[in-house]
Amino acid sequence: MDFGLSEEQEMLQETIRGFAQNECPTTRLRELFDKGEGHDPALWTALAEMGIAGLIVPEEHGGAGMELLDLALVAEVLGEYAIPGPFLGHALAIRGVMLAGSAEQQAKILPDLADGSQIATAALQEGDADWTPESWTARVRGGRLTGEKTIVSHAGIADRILVGLDAGGLAWVDTRGEGVVIEDLGGIDRTRPVYRVRFEGAPAEVLEGGGGNAWQLVETAAVLLAADAFGAATKLIDIDVAYAMEREQFGQPIAQFQAIKHTIARLGTDIEPARALFWYAAHCQDAIPDEAARAASVAKAHITDRAMNAARESVELHGGYGFTWECEVQMWFKRIMLDRSLLGTPDQWRERTAVLGEY
């Protein structure tokens, strides 16, 4: 039994890691973070040319035909480098079309998403806490969509939006059409700005491949958020180590102080074992569907919780400097905050885990 990644999967991560190191080092990330747009067209185009935009799209529709685990591995590296861009929403929109679109709809929609020429996002959450499909109220009547969604990543630049409907359905909407009002909410994570989107009788195409797939889509989101948070947390630990080796106090690096090195070691032992949680959760979505729901719940709850703890302790390890805008820790701290809160907090996912386990 092999619990490791294949050579192809390791190569995939190293390729993206090399790209991120060259094209979006911390100095470039800082420039993009200060702008607050959360998007660099050149960066997105380059990622799309590498096949990231259509990684899980079937080959007959122009994609790479890879699995959810491969997508999660990409999310990990993008979180590790806090890469700005619409990857999360775009990947979820594609996943939704693959889950609920008819064969004709998939053939029509997916090719333009696979090559990144169109950017899509997913609008799932309503209000501050209405993230479960049972609570959604957006509805399509007579081909027109009404409702409001919040915390929609990159809606301001998206060409299309996948919208979660009442009764667990999904619909496809042109953001440039009538009846779509998009409001920038700012958001704390400047690498992934969020928006409120109101649909006021917007023309919408309901995906016809069957309702009831919304929970699968939310669980995919949970896995990708967990993978992103894992990558961000590992990066923060690397930043902590480098800072502790460089920063001197009383004539020696602070890394020599027991309180510092024990804290960093504990963070490492907190985070590293959690890698298997998102690997397994992603694998279940393709290969072990009976386990997928609970595995996604556990991964989202545990990893985003541990990552947030690592972020808080990273700020403390940097002392007073850790609270400042100038300290690079804040970029990953805010990335993890969004991963933790979007589509349910750790406590809410733990509660769902208990329900799924019939406790």
Side-chain angles (χ1 to χ4, degrees):
M1 185 175 292
D2 185 0
F3 290 103
L5 300 180
S6 66
E7 288 185 12
E8 290 77 12
Q9 289 168 329
E10 290 177 349
M11 188 181 302
L12 172 66
Q13 284 201 307
E14 287 310 307
T15 300
I16 302 169
R17 195 167 276 125
F19 170 82
Q21 288 171 346
N22 291 326
E23 303 301 326
C24 195
T26 303
T27 50
R28 178 62 180 149
L29 175 61
R30 167 70 70 176
E31 292 174 2
L32 296 169
F33 199 87
D34 287 345
K35 283 185 177 179
E37 297 171 352
H39 179 54
D40 179 349
L43 206 57
W44 173 250
T45 299
L47 285 169
E49 289 174 351
M50 294 170 64
I52 303 308
L55 201 68
I56 61 169
V57 174
E59 293 182 7
E60 64 265 31
H61 299 317
M66 300 178 80
E67 298 182 344
L68 255 300
L69 176 55
D70 302 302
L71 195 67
L73 296 174
V74 171
E76 178 196 343
V77 179
L78 297 183
E80 182 180 337
Y81 289 88
I83 299 294
F87 170 80
L88 175 65
H90 190 80
L92 292 176
I94 287 174
R95 174 68 166 158
V97 173
M98 291 174 61
L99 284 170
S102 66
E104 291 76 14
Q105 288 173 322
Q106 293 187 34
K108 180 180 68 175
I109 295 171
L110 291 177
D112 288 337
L113 303 184
D115 63 13
S117 58
Q118 284 196 348
I119 296 174
T121 190
L124 303 178
Q125 185 162 323
E126 297 182 4
D128 294 331
D130 296 333
W131 58 277
T132 62
E134 292 82 1
S135 67
W136 296 344
T137 61
R139 59 178 57 189
V140 175
R141 299 291 184 269
R144 298 280 178 169
L145 172 62
T146 57
E148 180 177 294
K149 295 287 182 176
T150 57
I151 323 294
V152 183
S153 174
H154 286 92
I157 62 165
D159 302 293
R160 302 283 188 276
I161 301 182
L162 179 82
V163 183
L165 305 176
D166 58 341
L170 297 169
W172 194 240
V173 179
D174 183 348
T175 59
R176 316 301 180 198
E178 60 177 302
V180 179
V181 181
I182 299 174
E183 177 187 356
D184 188 354
L185 295 176
I188 194 167
D189 177 12
R190 288 187 165 216
T191 65
R192 294 174 298 176
V194 294
Y195 297 78
R196 177 184 294 115
V197 185
R198 291 200 309 277
F199 302 99
E200 301 174 346
E205 179 179 358
V206 175
L207 298 184
E208 300 170 348
N213 298 301
W215 260 117
Q216 286 180 266
L217 182 60
V218 172
E219 287 155 3
T220 298
V223 174
L224 295 182
L225 290 166
D228 191 278
F230 179 88
T234 56
K235 176 67 175 182
L236 280 178
I237 294 171
D238 289 344
I239 292 173
D240 293 341
V241 171
Y243 180 76
M245 297 292 287
E246 178 185 344
R247 178 79 166 92
E248 292 189 358
Q249 193 66 269
F250 307 116
Q252 57 185 321
I254 63 172
Q256 293 193 12
F257 300 145
Q258 193 173 60
I260 299 296
K261 57 187 174 185
H262 281 199
T263 297
I264 294 175
R266 178 170 48 75
L267 293 179
T269 54
D270 267 0
I271 293 298
E272 182 57 32
R275 183 191 301 272
L277 293 179
F278 84 81
W279 281 12
Y280 183 66
H283 174 67
C284 284
Q285 298 216 359
D286 283 318
I288 317 175
D290 290 346
E291 290 284 327
R294 192 159 59 169
S297 296
V298 172
K300 174 72 158 79
H302 186 73
I303 294 178
T304 60
D305 196 28
R306 292 295 84 198
M308 196 67 248
N309 182 63
R312 292 191 185 99
E313 298 221 31
S314 292
V315 170
E316 293 177 7
L317 284 166
H318 281 72
Y321 174 59
F323 287 96
T324 66
W325 182 267
E326 288 71 22
C327 181
E328 60 185 1
V329 166
Q330 53 111 354
M331 294 186 285
W332 281 272
F333 187 105
K334 293 166 182 173
R335 182 112 179 173
I336 291 171
M337 283 186 75
L338 183 60
D339 289 332
R340 179 186 182 279
S341 58
L342 184 60
L343 295 173
T345 64
D347 283 349
Q348 290 171 315
W349 282 94
R350 288 192 185 97
E351 182 177 351
R352 175 166 168 75
T353 304
V355 170
L356 291 169
E358 300 180 351
Y359 290 110

